[in-house]
Amino acid sequence: MEKPARQVFVISDLHIGGDYAAPDDPDDRGFRISTQVPALTSFVTALADKQPGGPVIELVINGDFIDFLAEKVPNSSGWEPFTLDPEVAVH
C-alpha cells in the first residue's frame, strides 16, 4: 500500500476572540464562543512538529476564524464590528 503524498486537515468556525474568563471565577466563561484555544494551539503545534520525509501537511482554516464581533470597544460598554481608528484596532 502506498503512503499518502499529503495529509489535509480542515478546521473551521473557530470564533477566536472576546474576553477570557476571570481566572478566579469558575462560573465565568468570558465573552467567547471558542473556549478551547489551548487545544487548538496544541493541535497546530503538533502539525508543525511532524517529522520531515512524511506526507506533506496542509492546514486549511475555513471561515469565521477571528470573532471580531466579540471584541469590546476600549472605554465603552459595547461592541463594534469594525473601526477605522488605528489606535482602537491595535488594542
Side-chain angles (χ1 to χ4, degrees):
M1 180 181 225
E2 290 184 37
K3 291 184 179 180
R6 82 177 31 156
Q7 290 181 314
V8 179
F9 297 86
V10 180
I11 55 179
S12 69
D13 298 301
L14 300 173
H15 292 275
I16 295 172
D19 288 340
Y20 282 93
D24 57 345
D25 183 355
D27 294 325
D28 180 16
R29 68 165 282 176
F31 188 76
R32 306 181 65 77
I33 293 175
S34 174
T35 59
Q36 301 299 314
V37 173
L40 173 63
T41 301
S42 295
F43 173 70
V44 173
T45 300
L47 292 181
D49 288 344
K50 288 198 178 266
Q51 295 297 317
V56 172
I57 303 293
E58 294 183 20
L59 175 61
V60 178
I61 301 173
N62 241 355
D64 295 339
F65 181 48
I66 305 295
D67 199 347
F68 294 106
L69 295 177
E71 293 298 326
K72 285 185 179 179
V73 176
N75 303 318
S76 169
S77 63
W79 284 265
E80 186 175 295
F82 183 79
T83 181
L84 291 172
D85 182 345
E87 290 298 316
V88 172
V90 297
H91 292 284

